[in-house]
Amino acid sequence: MGEWLADVGLFLVQLLSVVLVVGLAVAVVARLRQEAGSDSRLKLVELNRGRDERKRRLRLAASEPGARKRLLKAFRREDKQQAKAGKSHKREGEERRSTVWLIDFHGDIRASGTDRFAEEISAVIAAAESGDEVVVRLESAGGLVHAYGLAAAELDRLRDAGLATTVCIDKVAASGGYLMACGADRVQAAPLAVVGSIGVVAQVPNVHRLLKRHDIDVEVLTAGRYKRTLTVLGENTEEGREKFIDDLERTHELFKRHVAKRRPELDIEAIATGEIWYGSEALDRGLVDALGTSEAYLVERMQEARVIRVKLEPSRRLGERLGAAVSAGVEQALLRGAQALDASRWQKR
């Protein structure tokens, strides 16, 4: 019995060693492949095709069992006719179908997605042809001035390239978000989307009196009269406050100038008060050109154009992919457990 247990233990140790060696080899190969390839990949999704597939599935689900075969045959005929029409168009040299390029931008306070956004714009500019349109689904409540200034400058590149540009606002494009949105040829917002907030805000806490109460001195040394206007630890002066407010006003003027240049029909002094408006109100004030959701606009454009979503996805290491998979599995298990507990409250006992 003891010898049998020893053999089993030895076998398990050998098996574990093999698994570790294979896992290490897989990790090394994955790392080498990543280093040899690019840091990111461009993902393109034609939304027309997905919409047509969903439409067919719904039609099949709603049809009577005896009619499904006829529907499937009709779908095959449609596919053949479309393929044949595409070939004949190429032979006859007809104009190609225009393309709508869709880019998403979800901004945080640092506009950290700007680098990816810039690369997606570069890819679209390189591929787009005359008659194409770029739709940007924008969602941002704003953030750092310099960060959103860069993001707005990247979106301006589309207009400079001669591409028709539409910004769709489903939830919010305020402050730095609107700084970006106003650069489009056309701005569309959902009826209750938050738009505007053309203003500048800054908050600086000061604990000087607290430190002074505990006999703690703070020396703030600068070279240059306005190198530091307001501080967190030192004593703030009236001159410093006035200079800080002057800097805010100057930034606000630049913001107003940026918006007025891109939407000259606006009464900039009336709308640049820092207020926000909902979509229907923003339409009345000229901040947006139309009401509607991005989904409604894209479905409308699909009637006459191909809609292709462009997304630059970072390549993830093997460890990151495994970690994400484990995290997703744990999250799903916890969610299912919570749902089961919630459902048990309604069960009869």
Side-chain angles (χ1 to χ4, degrees):
M1 185 68 177
E3 291 181 0
W4 181 81
L5 288 175
D7 291 339
V8 171
L10 181 61
F11 171 75
L12 292 175
V13 170
Q14 291 173 339
L15 180 61
L16 181 61
S17 300
V18 171
V19 170
L20 289 174
V21 170
V22 172
L24 182 61
V26 170
V28 170
V29 170
R31 180 62 180 269
L32 291 174
R33 288 184 62 184
Q34 180 184 357
E35 291 177 353
S38 61
D39 293 333
S40 57
R41 63 189 183 92
L42 194 64
K43 184 178 180 181
L44 304 175
V45 179
E46 185 175 345
L47 301 188
N48 307 59
R49 188 174 301 170
R51 179 172 172 268
D52 290 341
E53 288 176 358
R54 288 192 295 272
K55 179 181 176 181
R56 288 183 174 185
R57 289 178 63 187
L58 288 170
R59 286 181 62 188
L60 283 170
S63 65
E64 296 294 332
R68 290 178 184 175
K69 288 185 178 180
R70 291 195 298 272
L71 266 179
L72 288 171
K73 289 180 180 179
F75 293 157
R76 293 192 192 100
R77 284 197 301 271
E78 288 177 8
D79 291 338
K80 289 180 180 178
Q81 289 172 359
Q82 289 175 2
K84 191 174 181 180
K87 291 179 180 178
S88 64
H89 288 172
K90 289 181 180 178
R91 285 196 300 267
E92 296 169 6
E94 293 186 13
E95 291 185 6
R96 74 177 188 94
R97 195 180 183 191
S98 62
T99 302
V100 174
W101 305 93
L102 174 63
I103 303 176
D104 289 307
F105 184 89
H106 297 274
D108 54 22
I109 194 170
R110 296 180 293 108
S112 55
T114 301
D115 290 343
R116 175 192 55 78
F117 185 57
E119 290 189 53
E120 290 169 350
I121 287 175
S122 295
V124 168
I125 290 175
E129 298 183 20
S130 177
D132 287 356
E133 177 188 5
V134 181
V135 174
V136 178
R137 282 192 298 206
L138 177 61
E139 182 180 335
S140 174
L144 299 176
V145 174
H146 62 279
Y148 275 92
L150 176 59
E154 294 294 351
L155 196 146
D156 279 346
R157 292 171 55 206
L158 294 168
R159 174 181 283 187
D160 295 339
L163 292 172
T165 308
T166 298
V167 163
C168 290
I169 307 166
D170 287 329
K171 296 179 181 178
V172 57
S175 194
Y178 190 74
L179 183 78
M180 295 177 64
C182 69
D185 298 307
R186 183 175 180 276
V187 181
Q188 177 171 309
L192 290 178
V194 175
V195 181
S197 188
I198 302 174
V200 185
V201 63
Q203 299 181 76
V204 183
N206 183 266
V207 296
H208 173 71
R209 284 182 295 178
L210 176 64
L211 297 175
K212 189 175 181 180
R213 196 178 305 140
H214 292 82
D215 297 324
I216 300 173
D217 293 328
V218 176
E219 297 288 343
V220 180
L221 307 176
T222 63
R225 184 178 178 182
Y226 296 120
K227 179 62 180 175
R228 182 69 68 234
T229 52
L230 296 184
T231 74
V232 175
L233 303 177
E235 183 177 6
N236 290 321
T237 65
E238 192 60 35
E239 181 185 18
R241 290 189 187 92
E242 290 177 358
K243 176 57 178 167
F244 194 86
I245 293 172
D246 181 64
D247 290 341
L248 291 181
E249 292 290 350
R250 187 158 51 91
T251 305
H252 189 208
E253 283 298 322
L254 289 171
F255 193 169
K256 287 162 43 177
R257 210 177 303 164
H258 178 94
V259 175
K261 182 179 179 181
R262 286 151 183 80
R263 296 188 72 86
E265 71 284 356
L266 282 175
D267 182 353
I268 193 66
E269 296 301 330
I271 57 98
T273 58
E275 297 173 84
I276 61 100
W277 290 278
Y278 294 106
S280 55
E281 299 172 324
L283 178 65
D284 294 337
R285 288 165 174 78
L287 287 122
V288 303
D289 303 298
L291 292 181
T293 66
S294 62
E295 179 68 14
Y297 183 70
L298 292 172
V299 169
E300 179 186 338
R301 296 293 287 118
M302 285 180 199
Q303 305 302 319
E304 55 189 26
R306 297 174 65 212
V307 178
I308 298 178
R309 186 185 179 196
V310 180
K311 185 178 181 181
L312 196 68
E313 294 184 335
S315 298
R316 293 191 297 177
R317 295 182 174 86
L318 178 63
E320 292 175 339
R321 293 198 296 270
L322 291 174
V326 171
S327 176
V330 171
E331 184 178 347
Q332 287 295 321
L334 291 174
L335 181 61
R336 284 195 294 268
Q339 289 173 341
L341 287 173
D342 186 62
S344 66
R345 295 185 304 162
W346 306 102
Q347 294 175 357
K348 292 181 181 180
R349 289 174 172 78

